[in-house]
Structures are given as C-alpha cells and as structure tokens.
Amino acid sequence: MARKTATDDVLAPVTLAVGQEDLLLDRAVREVVAAARAADADTDVRDLTPDALQPGTLAELTSPSLFAERKVVVVRNAQDLSADTIKDVKGYLSAPAEEITLVLLHAGGAKGKGLLDAARKAGAREVACPKMTKPADRLAFVRTEFRTAGRSATPEACQALVDAIGSDLRELAGACTQLVADIDGTIDAAVVGRYYTGRAEASSFTVADRAVEGRAAEALEALRWAMSTGVAPVLITSALAQGVRAIGKLASAPRGARPGDLARDLGMPPWKIDRVRQQMRGWSADGVAAALIAIAEADAGVKGGGDDPEYALEKAVVAVARAARSRG
C-alpha cells in the first residue's frame, strides 16, 4: 500500500513518490491528477521521462501563464535525470510556482539520492510505494483494496486470492476489482476458488498476452491450465478484449508522440505503452477488427450463448493469435 508521509495535501506544491512498485507509483500520480482536475477541469498534465526533461525544460513548463492555468508536471524515474537537470529541479524546489504541482517519481536507493534529500528537505508531500516482496504485505494490500471499495471479504478469501494470483500487484488489484463488480455480499473463499484457484501463471492476463503476441500454442496451453484450475471464462474474454483494444488505441495514436503524452492521452501507464508497442508489431487495422469480433462471439458463448465455453475460448485465442500476424 502507498503510505503517505509529510503533508496530506494532495495538491501540495511537490509530491515525492518513492519506491519501485509501478502500480503504487501510477496511483500516486492519478491521485494528484484527479485532485487537480477536480479543482480545475482544464488542468494541463505533463508526464515526462528523464530523456524528455532536458536542462531548461522545467523552467519552461513552470513559467507563469497569462491565464494562471493549473498544471501538473510528472517526472518519472527522477533518479535517472542528468546532473544539469537535477540542478534545475533543486532550484525549483526552493521556490515552487503557484498553481503547479510537481510530482517526482523516484526509485529510492543511492542513485539520485541528492535529489531525493533535497525534495524531502523542501517539505515535499511523500508517498511511499515500496515493492511488496512479503506475502503479508500483499495480503494487507488485498484487504485494503476491498475495504477501499466498501466491500467485505473474509480473511480466508483474501489469503486464497494471494495464493492464487501470486506476487503481481496489478493482477491482484484487477482480481479485487473483478470480484467487487461480479459478486454481491461478502466475498468468501468459495467465490475466490471458483474464479482463481490454480497457478498464477495460468491467469487470464497471461492467456491474453500470449495471444496478442501471436504465440498461439503457448496461449492455448495457458488457457487450458486456466480452465482446468477454475479461472472464470469471462475473465479470459475480458483480458483478451483489453489486450486487443490497447493495441488498437496505440496503433491509431499519432506517430512520434512521446511515451508520457501517449500514456496521458490513451489512459495507460507508460510501462504498458512500452509493452503494447512490442506486442503490436504484427497487427493491422483489419486484424484488430477481426480479433474483436472473435472475442465478442466468445464472450457471448461463455455467458450462455453457446454449449461449450472452452471451445469458444479456444476459437477466440486462435483468432487473436492469427490476427497478431495479419500485417505483411
């Protein structure tokens, strides 16, 4: 769980998110952006990687505006900034601009520690986003996800979910969201068992990733494992749809756009932009359309429109993998 320190004002002039857990880092950014846009719907958000933040860039982004517009400037992997840019950031920390919120994402550790210390000394609001390596931490995370959603889950259900999904925090968060959406009342171990019992490697996201990469045999193997261990078919069609839609979104984005801009415009975290860019190499527009049709048919099949949900899923996985080779 992201743990806040220093001030609790989400719109403090500087927020420092420290750690290596991507999900928590992304949530820290989204929290600030949501608060800024609640205060001003026209808030300008700039999401930058170290290569995009050259000496002088921060001064340009934070210079006074005639319209006094609110702005959020996000700097990812701040520990990798150049020495000259770090000087710029340190200088800004001493006199932050009004109506601007600077969000620094820093991995922690020795690299770039001078910037980390300077931000803390300047009184930055800090959000701790540590990598969750202990099962107890992941269990606490799952409990918090349900509590935040206003839902009750038994201790056995939380433990069963951690055992089934494994260490991937994004998958754990997605599983909690899915259960909250699908299940009324208290979520217990029996419900988790129906959805997720089995190896974490057989998750719906693994099936989808292999399919959109065109690796049909591996996708089918993961699918059969998932089905044999009780993963709900609707989770697999949902994951397939998400994977193909992400490819369609990125394929239609302007060429040459920076990852930070794409992440903002497409509603994806930067790490996902990189993954989808690798996955989309063999795709064409016709392939995306054909895959979505196949997934829609499979979704209808697993929700009662067909006699054999597993066969419907196999057809969809093969169709998606074939579509991944449609270019050229």
Side-chain angles (χ1 to χ4, degrees), residues 19-43:
Q20 299 180 42
E21 185 54 68
D22 289 339
L23 173 66
L24 301 183
L25 291 167
D26 287 338
R27 284 184 172 181
V29 172
R30 289 201 301 270
E31 182 183 32
V32 173
V33 171
R37 286 183 169 157
D40 181 353
D42 295 325
T43 294

Side-chain angles (χ1 to χ4, degrees), residues 132 134-144 155 157-160 162 172:
M132 293 191 183
K134 298 179 180 178
D137 292 338
R138 294 191 289 273
L139 183 60
F141 172 80
V142 167
R143 289 171 176 160
T144 300
C158 295
Q159 186 63 62
V162 172
L172 282 170

Side-chain angles (χ1 to χ4, degrees), residues 245-247 249-250 262-264 266-270 272-273 276:
R245 289 193 192 109
I247 287 170
K249 285 182 180 180
L250 190 55
L262 287 172
R264 181 188 67 246
L266 302 182
M268 300 181 196
K272 189 169 184 179
I273 295 290
V276 175

Side-chain angles (χ1 to χ4, degrees), residues 146 161 165 170-180 196 205:
F146 287 127
L161 196 59
I165 299 298
R170 290 187 186 279
E171 290 200 23
L172 282 170
C176 292
T177 299
Q178 186 71 52
L179 289 168
V180 166
Y196 295 105
F205 295 105

Side-chain angles (χ1 to χ4, degrees), residues 159-196:
Q159 186 63 62
L161 196 59
V162 172
D163 291 343
I165 299 298
S167 61
D168 191 311
L169 227 58
R170 290 187 186 279
E171 290 200 23
L172 282 170
C176 292
T177 299
Q178 186 71 52
L179 289 168
V180 166
D182 286 1
I183 305 301
D184 294 326
T186 299
I187 297 164
D188 59 23
V191 168
V192 174
R194 289 201 302 271
Y195 272 73
Y196 295 105

